[in-house]
Structures are given as C-alpha cells and as structure tokens.
Amino acid sequence: MYESYWQKKGDETTVVIPGWQFMSYFSDATRLCWFLEPEFAKQIVRLHNVVGNAVTENRHIVVGTGSTQLFQAALYALSPCAEAEPISVVSAAPYYSSYPLITDCLKSRLYKWAGDARSFSKNGPYIELVTSPNNPDGFARRSVVNGSEGILIHDLAYYWPQYTPISSRANYDLMLFTVSKSTGHAGMRIGWALVKDEDVARKMTKYIEINTIGVSKDSQVRAAKVLKVISDNIEGPNEGDSFFEFSYRVMAKRWKQLREAVQQSGLFSVSDFPPQLCMFLNRVFEPQPAFAWIKCEGDIEDCESFLRGKKILTRGGKHFGVSPKYVRISMLDRDKNYETFVRRLSTIRS
Ligand code: PMP
C-alpha cells in the first residue's frame, strides 16, 4: 500500500553507500546501545516529537532487527533470573499470533507463554504484552491483569495517525515501534524500543549483542533517511501531501469500501470504533486499523476455510486465541489486490 507513495517521492529517499562505509560493528561506542546509528537515533526522536505519539525524554533507544528481535530482547531483559520457575508471559485475546510462538520457541527456563491475560490469575511476577492499537482487532488497549507484580511491554507498532487518532504521547516504561507498520518498510527489518530503565536497556542491548552482534547499519541508515523525509515533509510547505496525510486517506477509503462490502454480503460483521480527536491530524476520526477483524455470522463455524473456498486467504481466530468464527485480513496490500478482495467479499452469499 505504501509503495506508491514512496515511488512518487522518487530519489528523495535514495541512499547510496560506498563499499568502504559502515564496515565496523560499532556505531557509537560511547552510547549505551553501541550499535545504534546516531543519525537514526536523531530521526526517531524527531519523528516522535513531530507526530506527538510517544515521550522520548529520559528514554534509552535500543535498535533491533525488527520489533520482533526487540520483543525477545525485552523478555530476556525483564525475566527475573533468580526465579526457580519461568515467568509467565500473557496478553489479552485476541493477541498477535507470533507472541506465543516466539515466547515458547526455545523452551526457555526464563519465561513461558501463559495465554490469555484475562484468565490469568496466578500470584507473583508476570509479563503482560499490551498491543495498542491491537493486532488483530484494532482496539486501543490498556493492561488487563490486576496483579501487583506485573511487568509491561507496550507494543505500539500501530500507534501512528494513519491507523488511529493520536490522543496523547504514550508514556510507558518499555515501548516498541517498527518501520514495518509506520512507513511500510517491513523488509528493512528495523524496529526501536524506548526504554525508561537503564538496566533494562543495557540487558536488551546485551541480548542483541549475543544474538546478532548489533543491527545492520545499512538498514539503519536507510531507515534514518525515510524518517527524515517524513518529518521534513510534515514541517515543509506542503504538509497536506505528507506521508501520514496520504496513508490516512488510503486507509479511510479502504475502510469505507470494506464496510460497504460487508453490508452488501450480509454474512459478516466488523466492529465499529469510537471516534476521537487526533492531535496530529487535528481532526476527529474513527480508528482504521491495519487489519480487518471479521466475524462470520450465522452457522459458519470455520470462517477461514469458508473464505478460502471463496478465494480469500485469511488467518483464523484460533491463531489469536479466540473462536474460528473470526478471521484477520490485512488492509495494507497493494491497491489491485485490495480491490479484488473487497469485490470478492461483497459478492459472497450463503
Ligand atoms: N508487533 C506487532 C503487533 C505486529 O503486528 C508486528 C508485525 N506483524 C510486529 C510486532 C513485528 O514487527 P517487525 O516487522 O518490526 O518485526
């Protein structure tokens, strides 16, 4: 979906790296996160300040190979190593389907997946993942477990104005962001964490050192350029043509088309979202999530296979810890594929 915008920008985001540059493991040995490129750090802080979606003051930035690596680094850093039992990791269902897979992949003695946060009642320490807006259902979220020993990770991959009104600057202890969802550059494999506690930031950095000895500098330099162009355009004379204005308009159009298709078919339902004021775009709008979380109504029990039969590929509810009556569909595909999808959806009849 974002390709057409970046195509229009032409050479503005082109990066040329001569063979002799960025050869060392190190970016800035004086920083806590010694493999973080200073220009990338600068553009992260600048973009958050321009958009107003996260507090960057008194935070350490840790760069990762996608927020996927940072999530693992955070689990490593937050697990109390003196415990005999692995710490429980929970998230309210429906949760991002990769969380359980990543958490239990190596059968760690530090942490283990404990499922839906809403039914978690064990005493003692736990880690709760709060994804806001949530993948897959798009709702804004807060932590749900009411324990005194909870440690929170806020995955804010979708807290950008094309998806949801920016109502305030997020101000949590550990926040994860990624270019995959903010600018569309999933293939760069770049994410960043804003971390309040120095010790936690140090341990996350240590994990990434052990895991991959840092993060591709080529990618960081490219990501810095993309973020810079976004901020430059917002602060320049043609603000109406900025990246978030463009992507907000595409998402608004797609959600309108989706709701019309759902209505025409009559077999499905999608949630309504309460409108809110976006401080960045300075307008009131309803969230327009990166995924459609669709429920098959009536007697269709397995929505994923039903839609596969209609040539629509989705991910079923059971991957997200809920009923197979639900499916998740990406709203970010290229225009042509999205048009085909809504056309097919609108013509489905029982
Ligand atoms: N967190 C959430 C909630 C996501 O939806 C995704 C991507 N699907 C990620 C993290 C992974 O992001 P990255 O590409 O930066 O690893």
Side-chain angles (χ1 to χ4, degrees), residues 28 34 45 50 52 57 66 72 74 76 101 109 131 154 158 175 179 203 211 213 216 253 266-267 279 283 309 312:
D28 180 353
W34 51 267
V45 170
V50 166
E57 291 83 15
Q72 294 163 69
Y76 170 80
L101 300 177
R109 275 156 57 193
T131 311
H154 280 82
Y158 303 94
M175 303 184 271
V179 292
K203 283 188 185 146
N211 192 217
I213 329 184
S216 164
K253 179 173 172 223
L267 279 184
M279 318 278 260
R283 72 182 71 115
I312 297 176

PDB file of all heavy atoms in Angstrom, residues 28 34 45 50 52 57 66 72 74 76 101 109 131 154 158 175 179 203 211 213 216 253 266-267 279 283 309 312:
ATOM      1  N   ASP A  28      28.575   3.858  17.783  1.00  0.00           N
ATOM      2  CA  ASP A  28      28.987   4.899  18.716  1.00  0.00           C
ATOM      3  C   ASP A  28      29.283   4.215  20.051  1.00  0.00           C
ATOM      4  O   ASP A  28      28.368   3.933  20.835  1.00  0.00           O
ATOM      5  CB  ASP A  28      27.858   5.934  18.861  1.00  0.00           C
ATOM      6  CG  ASP A  28      28.244   7.046  19.828  1.00  0.00           C
ATOM      7  OD1 ASP A  28      29.308   6.944  20.472  1.00  0.00           O
ATOM      8  OD2 ASP A  28      27.466   8.020  19.931  1.00  0.00           O
ATOM      9  N   TRP A  34      25.489   0.584  21.683  1.00  0.00           N
ATOM     10  CA  TRP A  34      26.670   0.970  20.920  1.00  0.00           C
ATOM     11  C   TRP A  34      26.564   0.691  19.417  1.00  0.00           C
ATOM     12  O   TRP A  34      27.374   1.155  18.630  1.00  0.00           O
ATOM     13  CB  TRP A  34      27.917   0.294  21.511  1.00  0.00           C
ATOM     14  CG  TRP A  34      27.755  -1.189  21.692  1.00  0.00           C
ATOM     15  CD1 TRP A  34      27.339  -1.833  22.807  1.00  0.00           C
ATOM     16  CD2 TRP A  34      27.984  -2.211  20.712  1.00  0.00           C
ATOM     17  NE1 TRP A  34      27.279  -3.185  22.594  1.00  0.00           N
ATOM     18  CE2 TRP A  34      27.680  -3.445  21.318  1.00  0.00           C
ATOM     19  CE3 TRP A  34      28.415  -2.202  19.375  1.00  0.00           C
ATOM     20  CZ2 TRP A  34      27.776  -4.662  20.646  1.00  0.00           C
ATOM     21  CZ3 TRP A  34      28.521  -3.414  18.703  1.00  0.00           C
ATOM     22  CH2 TRP A  34      28.201  -4.608  19.342  1.00  0.00           C
ATOM     23  N   VAL A  45      13.765  10.355  17.460  1.00  0.00           N
ATOM     24  CA  VAL A  45      13.310  11.358  18.433  1.00  0.00           C
ATOM     25  C   VAL A  45      12.538  12.461  17.711  1.00  0.00           C
ATOM     26  O   VAL A  45      11.455  12.880  18.143  1.00  0.00           O
ATOM     27  CB  VAL A  45      14.517  11.947  19.202  1.00  0.00           C
ATOM     28  CG1 VAL A  45      14.109  13.145  20.042  1.00  0.00           C
ATOM     29  CG2 VAL A  45      15.159  10.864  20.073  1.00  0.00           C
ATOM     30  N   VAL A  50       7.488  15.255  16.295  1.00  0.00           N
ATOM     31  CA  VAL A  50       6.638  15.853  15.262  1.00  0.00           C
ATOM     32  C   VAL A  50       5.218  15.269  15.335  1.00  0.00           C
ATOM     33  O   VAL A  50       4.221  15.994  15.267  1.00  0.00           O
ATOM     34  CB  VAL A  50       7.268  15.623  13.856  1.00  0.00           C
ATOM     35  CG1 VAL A  50       6.270  15.925  12.754  1.00  0.00           C
ATOM     36  CG2 VAL A  50       8.512  16.477  13.678  1.00  0.00           C
ATOM     37  N   GLY A  52       3.942  13.427  17.906  1.00  0.00           N
ATOM     38  CA  GLY A  52       3.386  13.523  19.261  1.00  0.00           C
ATOM     39  C   GLY A  52       2.802  12.213  19.760  1.00  0.00           C
ATOM     40  O   GLY A  52       1.838  12.210  20.534  1.00  0.00           O
ATOM     41  N   GLU A  57      11.771  11.833  26.026  1.00  0.00           N
ATOM     42  CA  GLU A  57      12.669  12.394  27.040  1.00  0.00           C
ATOM     43  C   GLU A  57      12.983  11.331  28.089  1.00  0.00           C
ATOM     44  O   GLU A  57      12.102  10.545  28.471  1.00  0.00           O
ATOM     45  CB  GLU A  57      12.022  13.599  27.747  1.00  0.00           C
ATOM     46  CG  GLU A  57      11.866  14.831  26.884  1.00  0.00           C
ATOM     47  CD  GLU A  57      10.609  14.793  26.016  1.00  0.00           C
ATOM     48  OE1 GLU A  57       9.716  13.961  26.295  1.00  0.00           O
ATOM     49  OE2 GLU A  57      10.535  15.573  25.049  1.00  0.00           O
ATOM     50  N   GLY A  66      13.988  -5.526  13.452  1.00  0.00           N
ATOM     51  CA  GLY A  66      12.532  -5.564  13.593  1.00  0.00           C
ATOM     52  C   GLY A  66      12.163  -5.488  15.066  1.00  0.00           C
ATOM     53  O   GLY A  66      13.009  -5.705  15.944  1.00  0.00           O
ATOM     54  N   GLN A  72      11.997 -10.160  21.880  1.00  0.00           N
ATOM     55  CA  GLN A  72      12.790 -11.217  22.518  1.00  0.00           C
ATOM     56  C   GLN A  72      13.819 -10.636  23.485  1.00  0.00           C
ATOM     57  O   GLN A  72      14.048 -11.184  24.574  1.00  0.00           O
ATOM     58  CB  GLN A  72      13.479 -12.065  21.439  1.00  0.00           C
ATOM     59  CG  GLN A  72      12.468 -12.830  20.610  1.00  0.00           C
ATOM     60  CD  GLN A  72      13.041 -13.349  19.303  1.00  0.00           C
ATOM     61  OE1 GLN A  72      13.871 -14.249  19.309  1.00  0.00           O
ATOM     62  NE2 GLN A  72      12.606 -12.801  18.195  1.00  0.00           N
ATOM     63  N   ALA A  74      13.451  -7.920  25.104  1.00  0.00           N
ATOM     64  CA  ALA A  74      12.705  -7.438  26.271  1.00  0.00           C
ATOM     65  C   ALA A  74      12.371  -8.603  27.212  1.00  0.00           C
ATOM     66  O   ALA A  74      12.505  -8.475  28.434  1.00  0.00           O
ATOM     67  CB  ALA A  74      11.431  -6.725  25.821  1.00  0.00           C
ATOM     68  N   TYR A  76      14.064 -11.304  27.595  1.00  0.00           N
ATOM     69  CA  TYR A  76      15.342 -11.658  28.235  1.00  0.00           C
ATOM     70  C   TYR A  76      15.673 -10.669  29.350  1.00  0.00           C
ATOM     71  O   TYR A  76      16.054 -11.042  30.456  1.00  0.00           O
ATOM     72  CB  TYR A  76      16.444 -11.661  27.164  1.00  0.00           C
ATOM     73  CG  TYR A  76      17.845 -11.775  27.711  1.00  0.00           C
ATOM     74  CD1 TYR A  76      18.358 -13.011  28.095  1.00  0.00           C
ATOM     75  CD2 TYR A  76      18.662 -10.645  27.822  1.00  0.00           C
ATOM     76  CE1 TYR A  76      19.653 -13.112  28.595  1.00  0.00           C
ATOM     77  CE2 TYR A  76      19.950 -10.740  28.316  1.00  0.00           C
ATOM     78  CZ  TYR A  76      20.437 -11.971  28.705  1.00  0.00           C
ATOM     79  OH  TYR A  76      21.707 -12.069  29.195  1.00  0.00           O
ATOM     80  N   LEU A 101       4.303 -18.113  19.799  1.00  0.00           N
ATOM     81  CA  LEU A 101       5.307 -18.878  19.041  1.00  0.00           C
ATOM     82  C   LEU A 101       6.717 -18.445  19.424  1.00  0.00           C
ATOM     83  O   LEU A 101       7.600 -19.264  19.678  1.00  0.00           O
ATOM     84  CB  LEU A 101       5.103 -18.677  17.530  1.00  0.00           C
ATOM     85  CG  LEU A 101       3.742 -19.101  16.973  1.00  0.00           C
ATOM     86  CD1 LEU A 101       3.645 -18.776  15.485  1.00  0.00           C
ATOM     87  CD2 LEU A 101       3.530 -20.598  17.204  1.00  0.00           C
ATOM     88  N   ARG A 109      14.115 -21.371  30.073  1.00  0.00           N
ATOM     89  CA  ARG A 109      13.880 -21.518  31.517  1.00  0.00           C
ATOM     90  C   ARG A 109      13.626 -20.159  32.162  1.00  0.00           C
ATOM     91  O   ARG A 109      13.407 -20.066  33.361  1.00  0.00           O
ATOM     92  CB  ARG A 109      15.070 -22.216  32.173  1.00  0.00           C
ATOM     93  CG  ARG A 109      14.942 -23.740  32.065  1.00  0.00           C
ATOM     94  CD  ARG A 109      16.263 -24.432  32.159  1.00  0.00           C
ATOM     95  NE  ARG A 109      16.986 -24.127  33.395  1.00  0.00           N
ATOM     96  CZ  ARG A 109      18.264 -24.422  33.600  1.00  0.00           C
ATOM     97  NH1 ARG A 109      18.952 -25.023  32.640  1.00  0.00           N
ATOM     98  NH2 ARG A 109      18.846 -24.123  34.731  1.00  0.00           N
ATOM     99  N   THR A 131      -0.726  -4.521  23.322  1.00  0.00           N
ATOM    100  CA  THR A 131      -0.574  -4.077  21.938  1.00  0.00           C
ATOM    101  C   THR A 131      -1.666  -3.060  21.658  1.00  0.00           C
ATOM    102  O   THR A 131      -2.848  -3.385  21.756  1.00  0.00           O
ATOM    103  CB  THR A 131      -0.712  -5.282  20.983  1.00  0.00           C
ATOM    104  OG1 THR A 131       0.130  -6.314  21.464  1.00  0.00           O
ATOM    105  CG2 THR A 131      -0.337  -4.923  19.565  1.00  0.00           C
ATOM    106  N   HIS A 154       4.797  -2.526  26.072  1.00  0.00           N
ATOM    107  CA  HIS A 154       3.804  -1.910  25.186  1.00  0.00           C
ATOM    108  C   HIS A 154       4.283  -2.005  23.736  1.00  0.00           C
ATOM    109  O   HIS A 154       5.300  -1.401  23.393  1.00  0.00           O
ATOM    110  CB  HIS A 154       3.545  -0.456  25.581  1.00  0.00           C
ATOM    111  CG  HIS A 154       2.622  -0.334  26.741  1.00  0.00           C
ATOM    112  ND1 HIS A 154       3.034  -0.473  28.051  1.00  0.00           N
ATOM    113  CD2 HIS A 154       1.268  -0.141  26.784  1.00  0.00           C
ATOM    114  CE1 HIS A 154       1.986  -0.347  28.854  1.00  0.00           C
ATOM    115  NE2 HIS A 154       0.904  -0.151  28.119  1.00  0.00           N
ATOM    116  N   TYR A 158       1.364   0.008  15.837  1.00  0.00           N
ATOM    117  CA  TYR A 158       0.301   0.660  15.045  1.00  0.00           C
ATOM    118  C   TYR A 158      -0.128   2.000  15.634  1.00  0.00           C
ATOM    119  O   TYR A 158      -1.160   2.537  15.234  1.00  0.00           O
ATOM    120  CB  TYR A 158      -0.916  -0.276  14.927  1.00  0.00           C
ATOM    121  CG  TYR A 158      -0.554  -1.612  14.325  1.00  0.00           C
ATOM    122  CD1 TYR A 158      -0.243  -2.706  15.133  1.00  0.00           C
ATOM    123  CD2 TYR A 158      -0.487  -1.776  12.945  1.00  0.00           C
ATOM    124  CE1 TYR A 158       0.124  -3.934  14.585  1.00  0.00           C
ATOM    125  CE2 TYR A 158      -0.129  -2.989  12.384  1.00  0.00           C
ATOM    126  CZ  TYR A 158       0.179  -4.059  13.216  1.00  0.00           C
ATOM    127  OH  TYR A 158       0.546  -5.257  12.661  1.00  0.00           O
ATOM    128  N   MET A 175       8.456   0.698  25.337  1.00  0.00           N
ATOM    129  CA  MET A 175       7.583   0.827  24.165  1.00  0.00           C
ATOM    130  C   MET A 175       8.320   0.342  22.921  1.00  0.00           C
ATOM    131  O   MET A 175       9.484   0.687  22.713  1.00  0.00           O
ATOM    132  CB  MET A 175       7.188   2.295  23.977  1.00  0.00           C
ATOM    133  CG  MET A 175       6.503   2.892  25.190  1.00  0.00           C
ATOM    134  SD  MET A 175       5.925   4.581  24.924  1.00  0.00           S
ATOM    135  CE  MET A 175       7.360   5.548  25.393  1.00  0.00           C
ATOM    136  N   VAL A 179       9.474   0.154  11.699  1.00  0.00           N
ATOM    137  CA  VAL A 179       9.189   0.788  10.411  1.00  0.00           C
ATOM    138  C   VAL A 179       8.207  -0.048   9.585  1.00  0.00           C
ATOM    139  O   VAL A 179       7.565   0.480   8.681  1.00  0.00           O
ATOM    140  CB  VAL A 179      10.469   1.068   9.552  1.00  0.00           C
ATOM    141  CG1 VAL A 179      11.336   2.136  10.187  1.00  0.00           C
ATOM    142  CG2 VAL A 179      11.248  -0.190   9.272  1.00  0.00           C
ATOM    143  N   LYS A 203      20.422  -4.585  29.359  1.00  0.00           N
ATOM    144  CA  LYS A 203      20.229  -6.035  29.156  1.00  0.00           C
ATOM    145  C   LYS A 203      19.682  -6.328  27.760  1.00  0.00           C
ATOM    146  O   LYS A 203      20.044  -7.329  27.145  1.00  0.00           O
ATOM    147  CB  LYS A 203      19.282  -6.599  30.220  1.00  0.00           C
ATOM    148  CG  LYS A 203      19.946  -6.782  31.567  1.00  0.00           C
ATOM    149  CD  LYS A 203      19.029  -7.515  32.514  1.00  0.00           C
ATOM    150  CE  LYS A 203      19.645  -7.580  33.899  1.00  0.00           C
ATOM    151  NZ  LYS A 203      18.618  -7.523  34.955  1.00  0.00           N
ATOM    152  N   ASN A 211      22.902 -12.166  20.337  1.00  0.00           N
ATOM    153  CA  ASN A 211      22.074 -12.751  19.290  1.00  0.00           C
ATOM    154  C   ASN A 211      22.609 -12.464  17.885  1.00  0.00           C
ATOM    155  O   ASN A 211      22.751 -13.372  17.063  1.00  0.00           O
ATOM    156  CB  ASN A 211      20.646 -12.206  19.469  1.00  0.00           C
ATOM    157  CG  ASN A 211      19.626 -12.940  18.626  1.00  0.00           C
ATOM    158  OD1 ASN A 211      18.699 -12.319  18.123  1.00  0.00           O
ATOM    159  ND2 ASN A 211      19.770 -14.230  18.448  1.00  0.00           N
ATOM    160  N   ILE A 213      25.131  -9.573  17.276  1.00  0.00           N
ATOM    161  CA  ILE A 213      26.210  -8.561  17.380  1.00  0.00           C
ATOM    162  C   ILE A 213      25.790  -7.239  16.736  1.00  0.00           C
ATOM    163  O   ILE A 213      26.505  -6.681  15.901  1.00  0.00           O
ATOM    164  CB  ILE A 213      27.559  -9.023  16.796  1.00  0.00           C
ATOM    165  CG1 ILE A 213      27.763 -10.528  16.931  1.00  0.00           C
ATOM    166  CG2 ILE A 213      28.720  -8.261  17.449  1.00  0.00           C
ATOM    167  CD1 ILE A 213      29.137 -11.006  16.434  1.00  0.00           C
ATOM    168  N   SER A 216      21.999  -4.347  11.392  1.00  0.00           N
ATOM    169  CA  SER A 216      22.506  -3.828  10.108  1.00  0.00           C
ATOM    170  C   SER A 216      22.568  -2.297  10.069  1.00  0.00           C
ATOM    171  O   SER A 216      21.553  -1.620  10.229  1.00  0.00           O
ATOM    172  CB  SER A 216      21.617  -4.311   8.962  1.00  0.00           C
ATOM    173  OG  SER A 216      21.857  -3.532   7.803  1.00  0.00           O
ATOM    174  N   LYS A 253     -10.344   5.374   2.831  1.00  0.00           N
ATOM    175  CA  LYS A 253     -11.043   4.867   1.637  1.00  0.00           C
ATOM    176  C   LYS A 253     -11.246   3.346   1.756  1.00  0.00           C
ATOM    177  O   LYS A 253     -12.329   2.825   1.486  1.00  0.00           O
ATOM    178  CB  LYS A 253     -10.201   5.213   0.399  1.00  0.00           C
ATOM    179  CG  LYS A 253     -10.800   4.725  -0.896  1.00  0.00           C
ATOM    180  CD  LYS A 253     -10.026   5.241  -2.104  1.00  0.00           C
ATOM    181  CE  LYS A 253     -10.539   4.559  -3.370  1.00  0.00           C
ATOM    182  NZ  LYS A 253      -9.481   4.133  -4.268  1.00  0.00           N
ATOM    183  N   GLY A 266     -23.803  -9.313   3.764  1.00  0.00           N
ATOM    184  CA  GLY A 266     -24.754  -9.667   4.817  1.00  0.00           C
ATOM    185  C   GLY A 266     -24.342 -10.873   5.651  1.00  0.00           C
ATOM    186  O   GLY A 266     -25.023 -11.248   6.598  1.00  0.00           O
ATOM    187  N   LEU A 267     -23.207 -11.510   5.319  1.00  0.00           N
ATOM    188  CA  LEU A 267     -22.797 -12.719   6.039  1.00  0.00           C
ATOM    189  C   LEU A 267     -21.764 -12.444   7.136  1.00  0.00           C
ATOM    190  O   LEU A 267     -21.429 -13.324   7.915  1.00  0.00           O
ATOM    191  CB  LEU A 267     -22.151 -13.709   5.068  1.00  0.00           C
ATOM    192  CG  LEU A 267     -23.075 -14.567   4.216  1.00  0.00           C
ATOM    193  CD1 LEU A 267     -22.255 -15.540   3.399  1.00  0.00           C
ATOM    194  CD2 LEU A 267     -24.053 -15.328   5.100  1.00  0.00           C
ATOM    195  N   MET A 279      -4.658  14.584  17.688  1.00  0.00           N
ATOM    196  CA  MET A 279      -3.934  15.837  17.932  1.00  0.00           C
ATOM    197  C   MET A 279      -2.976  16.147  16.785  1.00  0.00           C
ATOM    198  O   MET A 279      -2.618  17.296  16.568  1.00  0.00           O
ATOM    199  CB  MET A 279      -3.095  15.747  19.212  1.00  0.00           C
ATOM    200  CG  MET A 279      -3.799  15.084  20.353  1.00  0.00           C
ATOM    201  SD  MET A 279      -4.852  16.252  21.157  1.00  0.00           S
ATOM    202  CE  MET A 279      -3.828  16.650  22.521  1.00  0.00           C
ATOM    203  N   ARG A 283      -8.091  16.334  13.472  1.00  0.00           N
ATOM    204  CA  ARG A 283      -9.456  16.024  13.061  1.00  0.00           C
ATOM    205  C   ARG A 283      -9.953  14.829  13.874  1.00  0.00           C
ATOM    206  O   ARG A 283      -9.138  14.071  14.414  1.00  0.00           O
ATOM    207  CB  ARG A 283      -9.549  15.779  11.557  1.00  0.00           C
ATOM    208  CG  ARG A 283      -8.962  14.510  11.021  1.00  0.00           C
ATOM    209  CD  ARG A 283      -9.095  14.433   9.497  1.00  0.00           C
ATOM    210  NE  ARG A 283      -8.212  15.359   8.817  1.00  0.00           N
ATOM    211  CZ  ARG A 283      -7.192  14.960   8.009  1.00  0.00           C
ATOM    212  NH1 ARG A 283      -6.962  13.699   7.778  1.00  0.00           N
ATOM    213  NH2 ARG A 283      -6.423  15.854   7.424  1.00  0.00           N
ATOM    214  N   GLY A 309     -12.523 -21.040   0.445  1.00  0.00           N
ATOM    215  CA  GLY A 309     -13.366 -21.569  -0.634  1.00  0.00           C
ATOM    216  C   GLY A 309     -13.848 -20.477  -1.579  1.00  0.00           C
ATOM    217  O   GLY A 309     -14.220 -20.746  -2.715  1.00  0.00           O
ATOM    218  N   ILE A 312     -10.432 -16.165  -0.808  1.00  0.00           N
ATOM    219  CA  ILE A 312      -9.910 -15.089   0.054  1.00  0.00           C
ATOM    220  C   ILE A 312      -9.082 -15.752   1.147  1.00  0.00           C
ATOM    221  O   ILE A 312      -9.597 -16.574   1.921  1.00  0.00           O
ATOM    222  CB  ILE A 312     -11.050 -14.253   0.677  1.00  0.00           C
ATOM    223  CG1 ILE A 312     -11.842 -13.538  -0.422  1.00  0.00           C
ATOM    224  CG2 ILE A 312     -10.497 -13.229   1.668  1.00  0.00           C
ATOM    225  CD1 ILE A 312     -13.050 -12.764   0.082  1.00  0.00           C
TER     226      ILE A 312
END
